[in-house]
Amino acid sequence: MNLLNINISFEEYAGIAELSENDRQLCERAEQTLSNSYSPYSKFKVGTAIRLTSGETILGSNQENLAYPSGLCAERVALFTIGATYPNAVIKSMAITAQTDAFEILKPITSCGGCLQVMAEFERKQNAPIEVIFYCLGGEILKVPSVKSLLPFSFVEDRLSSGN
Ligand code: THU
């Protein structure tokens, strides 16, 4: 038996003012897009802004449905928009934030496993790391340099990929 360890390093910021200008703008775009969240069931708004290496920014927010599992998280709304409209785009970074009137969010909300798996696939496809920023409005911010830090054991089976 071998006991192995995986170490991840991530950055922690006390607030948005500590971020670089680019990251700050991305967080602000994620916050602005919260207003497009369609979340009448959970009343929990999630917004994301994804910066491509071309400089373009793609937005996404969670979109719920009365048939609950038919809804989709903000991250996947934006990522699949990129896949469908800019299939050759390379993602540089993404910022994610959340808001609800039901309670105060005091720590950054991190992405669900399903979204991490989709992020992992984009990162693998583009063969370049995606920076992920979790932005707590008015609070702490976490930044990881790669999706690998968030989901080191993502599902990968190269023999299932045809390359398209
Ligand atoms: N949600 C996201 O948009 N992203 C995540 O990573 C986790 C959860 C949404 C789904 C649902 O609309 C609401 O948050 C409550 O779960």
Side-chain angles (χ1 to χ4, degrees), residues 42 44 46 62 64 73-75 110-112 115:
S42 72
F44 190 82
V46 184
N62 55 330
E64 297 185 351
C73 293
E75 296 90 322
T110 48
S111 301
C112 75
C115 287

Side-chain angles (χ1 to χ4, degrees), residues 9-159:
S9 34
F10 57 95
E11 297 168 1
E12 191 182 79
Y13 298 86
I16 196 166
E18 282 188 10
L19 293 177
S20 68
E21 178 64 24
N22 277 341
D23 287 352
R24 189 160 55 240
Q25 278 176 11
L26 203 61
C27 286
E28 282 165 0
R29 297 295 299 277
E31 180 176 355
Q32 285 158 9
T33 204
L34 287 170
S35 59
N36 292 339
S37 163
Y38 178 68
S39 41
Y41 307 107
S42 72
K43 301 191 166 41
F44 190 82
K45 297 173 194 278
V46 184
T48 186
I50 302 184
R51 170 88 27 88
L52 307 179
T53 52
S54 65
E56 202 151 355
T57 304
I58 310 302
L59 305 174
S61 53
N62 55 330
Q63 301 295 317
E64 297 185 351
N65 191 277
L66 181 55
Y68 293 0
S70 301
L72 200 57
C73 293
E75 296 90 322
R76 274 178 279 175
V77 167
L79 289 165
F80 290 147
T81 298
I82 292 168
T85 51
Y86 307 92
N88 300 315
V90 175
I91 297 171
K92 183 179 184 307
S93 51
M94 62 191 289
I96 300 140
T97 193
Q99 192 270 327
T100 179
D101 292 336
F103 49 87
E104 206 181 345
I105 299 175
L106 299 167
K107 291 275 174 197
I109 295 293
T110 48
S111 301
C112 75
C115 287
L116 294 182
Q117 179 69 35
V118 173
M119 290 179 200
E121 178 120 0
F122 272 78
E123 190 170 83
R124 195 163 61 91
K125 191 176 85 168
Q126 71 180 31
N127 197 25
I130 298 172
E131 297 170 347
V132 186
I133 304 163
F134 297 114
Y135 169 36
C136 177
L137 298 177
E140 191 181 285
I141 296 165
L142 303 179
K143 179 175 175 180
V144 298
S146 162
V147 179
K148 285 199 178 78
S149 301
L150 298 168
L151 193 65
F153 287 101
S154 65
F155 175 66
V156 180
E157 176 45 80
D158 290 331
R159 288 163 297 181

